[in-house]
Amino acid sequence: MQFSKSTDYALHALAYLAHLNSSEPTGIKQLADVLNVSETYLSKIMTNLRKDGLVNAVPGAKGGYELAREASRISFLDVILALEGRQHLFECSNTTSKQHNMLVQETPASECRIKRVMDSAETQFYEYLSNQSIQSVISQ
Amino acid sequence: MQFSKSTDYALHALAYLAHLNSSEPTGIKQLADVLNVSETYLSKIMTNLRKDGLVNAVPGAKGGYELAREASRISFLDVILALEGRQHLFECSNTTSKQHNMLVQETPASECRIKRVMDSAETQFYEYLSNQSIQSVISQ
DNA sequence: GTTATTACAGACTCGTTATATCTATAATTA
DNA sequence: TAATTATAGATATAACGAGTCTGTAATAAC
Ligand code: SF4
Ligand code: SF4
């Protein structure tokens, strides 16, 4: 289990935009050059960020990308969810097995303790990442 | 980013062994039946657990698997590391980019704040999972 | 309006990993 | 010796990640 490279690039791109703090949008060309990634590939990543409302995209000449809100209000979790999607880290696969029936029977709620532990771990993980902003990684 | 099915099965298998609490080893046939997975596939997973010292494997007639230590001393993290491996959740991909030079320059240690945030999240995540034992998911 | 610039969508390629099966082998008990 | 059981290795398949290419739409400058 690992974060995808896309998530890595997205974090770097946002950190760069936050660092620049420019009033003009920044083009994919400049962004790709700074991150050392191809323009077309990075553009897909930026589109994901746009779809989740983290950046604004300005088409046309002098266009590019800019943060949709202050860097202090964009969290690591926002970025990760935009790129990795919103499935849970742990998904029940065999909800028809004898084992499942056994473990679920033991609990009042319809959720066994295995799932509860894994989901709690995820919640705590995300909680931490939601408190880390892009602003916090650039120099003050 | 998601845990693999192998990790899922491994957790279930260990929970079952802990539940049985038998003095005799449990065969792959019984285990696969309870988990509703093929024997050969599950056997590969059990071998991973054995290689990490979480279970003992007894070959030959009347053989099978048994917990290598008390269930209270086998953590979720142990299982996850055995199945998912030990790479970090976040790996720097572009350590030659201009962005990297910029961010590393700002910090005294040779590690930028992006990496530090991600590694801290991982550490905390693992910390939590290392405190959850297999024993804790079965009925007392 | 025309042209240059830029983001965007979609198809596509390629390599790797996850999932799963099959078979032959080695170890152990009966 | 025979039956049972785990293990290693080869193999198959599907899914996913990473990355490229191309044509299209939107905007600004001229
Ligand atoms: S609810 Fe628990 S036992 Fe059932 S499939 Fe999910 S993790 Fe497994
Ligand atoms: S050290 Fe920081 S800037 Fe450099 S590659 Fe790793 S995460 Fe990116």
Side-chain angles (χ1 to χ4, degrees), chain A residues 12, chain B residues 90 92-95 99-100 103-104 111-112 114-115:
Chain A
H12 285 73
Chain B
F90 179 85
C92 292
S93 31
N94 269 350
T95 51
Q99 168 80 334
H100 172 78
L103 287 176
V104 165
E111 208 177 54
C112 84
I114 294 181
K115 184 159 176 47

Side-chain angles (χ1 to χ4, degrees), chain B residues 4-52:
Chain B
S4 69
K5 291 196 174 190
S6 297
T7 297
D8 182 306
Y9 296 142
L11 287 170
H12 285 72
L14 291 176
Y16 182 69
L17 290 181
H19 177 85
L20 269 190
N21 199 21
S22 162
S23 55
E24 307 282 301
T26 305
I28 194 71
K29 194 163 281 186
Q30 180 181 351
L31 222 40
D33 176 63
V34 171
L35 299 194
N36 196 30
V37 193
S38 85
E39 300 176 25
T40 48
Y41 183 39
L42 184 57
S43 102
K44 278 206 174 329
I45 294 168
M46 297 309 291
T47 299
N48 278 331
L49 293 178
R50 191 215 56 187
K51 284 179 178 166
D52 265 41

